[in-house]
Amino acid sequence: MEIYAINKAEHLDANKFESLLQHVDEEKRTGIKKYYFYRDSVRALLADVLVRLIITQKYNINNKELIFEKNKYGKPSVTNIKDFHYNISHSGQWIVCI
């Protein structure tokens, strides 16, 4: 088991937010933008980008090749990498991926 954590800054400027948003798929992008509070959008975006960064580095795969799906309980997984299992949590200043 590996643990990754980000202690995010209070503010992520709009330009950086939009830049990072381009690294997630359209469905996720739409969901991130639906949050009422900007800070919640930032947490969700950073969580998704963290998972993508871990996978691309660990498996030497291009971000655009990643295919995510959700099981019947809503738990996400990576369709094209069967041996990668993860949990993500984001609250307050922390985003954690195990």
Side-chain angles (χ1 to χ4, degrees):
M1 176 179 3
E2 298 174 33
I3 301 171
Y4 300 86
I6 299 172
N7 186 344
K8 74 166 194 67
E10 258 314 299
H11 183 71
L12 182 66
D13 70 58
N15 290 332
K16 189 62 169 174
F17 180 85
E18 288 298 324
S19 176
L20 288 173
L21 204 55
Q22 300 310 307
H23 294 281
V24 303
D25 60 59
E26 186 62 38
E27 181 181 347
K28 186 70 171 184
R29 203 175 303 154
T30 300
I32 288 169
K33 288 183 172 185
K34 285 185 178 180
Y35 283 100
Y36 182 77
F37 293 108
Y38 178 72
R39 66 181 177 260
D40 295 331
S41 293
V42 169
R43 284 186 199 106
L45 174 60
L46 291 177
D48 195 83
V49 170
L50 176 60
V51 169
R52 290 171 179 277
L53 179 64
I54 293 165
I55 296 168
T56 58
Q57 290 182 350
K58 189 174 184 75
Y59 293 93
N60 196 28
I61 187 172
N62 188 301
N63 180 47
K64 294 192 184 300
E65 296 175 43
L66 297 177
I67 302 168
F68 289 87
E69 66 180 5
K70 291 182 182 177
N71 69 14
K72 65 182 179 179
Y73 304 106
K75 179 165 174 47
S77 63
V78 185
T79 304
N80 51 339
I81 302 175
K82 296 297 181 195
D83 65 339
F84 183 78
H85 306 280
Y86 68 96
N87 280 311
I88 197 93
S89 179
H90 47 84
S91 178
Q93 291 296 104
W94 289 97
I95 294 114
V96 178
C97 180
I98 299 174

